[in-house]
Amino acid sequence: MKKQSVVKKFLYSQKVAPYVFVMPFILTFAIFFAYSIVSMILMSFQKVAGANTTFIGLENYKILTNAVFLKSLKNSVFYTIVTCIMMIPIPMILAAMLNSKHMRAKGTFRSILFIPALTSVVVAGVVFRLMFGELEGSFMNQVMNLFGVEPIIWLRKPVTVWITLFFLCLWRWTGVNMMYYLSGLQQIPADLYESASIDGATGMQQLRYITIPLLKPTTIYVLTISIFGGMAMFSESYMLFNGNKSPNNVATTLVGMLYRMGFEQNQLGIASAIGVIFLLIVLAVNMIQLRINGTIGSKKGE
């Protein structure tokens, strides 16, 4: 009984209780994130053959100077830039429309735009592979036929491959980003818009001087997750091409290259090196954009 009372007193101590509550997070972070990152970094300097590992220095990183890796890096950066350009203004405009007092059937449109986010990427990839098929009877070729355009081999030419991937991204994630912006818009006091209207501000002026500045925190968040999502794109490409094998690696990304090295070719050292490079790129890009937006590194005295 005395031991139980000591344990109970220890757990209910005001000094100990905070550490007890944060312990699950600390353990989860340490086991599933910190340990994994350290293991990946160490493995990137090793040649892994089953249970046997050999330290080889920077050899894994030297291998990554080949054309396929550089192309996958270029593809990931290009996909990230274009999707960020699309996935910020379009959802913002849709959210502003749904937040308008003059918009009817708001709940219906919200549901319609958000449903694609609930769709499995496997299902979405298969559906888009059929829609953008090579046959004349595929959906997109039938649409193009209405405009007098000959059937297109969508998934074999670089331009049409990227059009398909961007269309898939836009269809699947617009609703999610729109909901973020809609939540941000609803936090803006209506009095600001009423005061601006009394002062004669037009709708565009209200958008420029009230809506966009006050949505800055939401935009930073959407931009951050869009950067990570763009750089981490893999499942869409994998399902669209029914495997990690797009023609001439036209849609092979950093994660696709990591999957190829680690799981298809069992070269875990090279895969770890790719993972380290991927981590550094994402961290660097996010730190730069957060600094530009003033989220970090603010001037002294402010």
Side-chain angles (χ1 to χ4, degrees), residues 20 47 71 89 101 142 163 185 223 263 271:
V20 174
K47 180 179 181 180
K71 188 171 186 177
K101 297 179 180 179
Q142 289 185 15
I163 289 174
L185 285 169
L223 179 60
F263 294 94

Side-chain angles (χ1 to χ4, degrees), residues 88-138:
I88 291 178
I90 295 176
M92 184 188 295
I93 293 171
L94 290 173
M97 292 172 61
L98 287 176
N99 197 52
S100 173
K101 297 179 180 179
H102 306 289
M103 185 72 180
R104 296 182 179 180
K106 296 181 180 179
T108 303
F109 282 106
R110 289 179 191 173
S111 301
I112 292 173
L113 291 171
F114 191 75
I115 284 175
L118 304 177
T119 306
S120 167
V121 66
V122 176
V123 175
V126 172
V127 171
F128 271 73
R129 188 167 73 241
L130 295 175
M131 286 176 56
F132 290 85
E134 301 177 7
L135 301 177
E136 294 184 11
S138 65

Side-chain angles (χ1 to χ4, degrees), residues 68 71-72 75 244-253 257 260:
V68 177
K71 188 171 186 177
S72 67
N75 290 341
N244 191 26
K245 50 185 179 181
S246 58
N248 296 320
N249 295 301
V250 66
T252 300
T253 61
M257 190 70 178
R260 180 179 299 173

Side-chain angles (χ1 to χ4, degrees), residues 153-165:
I153 305 176
W154 293 93
L155 300 181
R156 293 189 180 275
K157 298 179 180 179
V159 175
T160 52
V161 164
W162 285 113
I163 289 174
T164 306
L165 285 171

Side-chain angles (χ1 to χ4, degrees), residues 42 45-47 53-58:
L42 293 175
F45 298 103
Q46 299 172 339
K47 180 179 181 180
T53 59
T54 305
F55 181 80
I56 58 174
L58 297 174

Side-chain angles (χ1 to χ4, degrees), residues 183-215:
S183 176
L185 285 169
Q186 293 174 351
Q187 303 302 316
I188 300 176
D191 298 343
L192 293 176
Y193 292 104
E194 293 176 2
S195 300
S197 298
I198 294 173
D199 292 338
T202 63
M204 289 301 298
Q205 289 175 327
Q206 292 178 26
L207 177 67
R208 179 180 177 182
Y209 295 106
I210 298 177
T211 304
I212 294 179
L214 293 181
L215 281 178

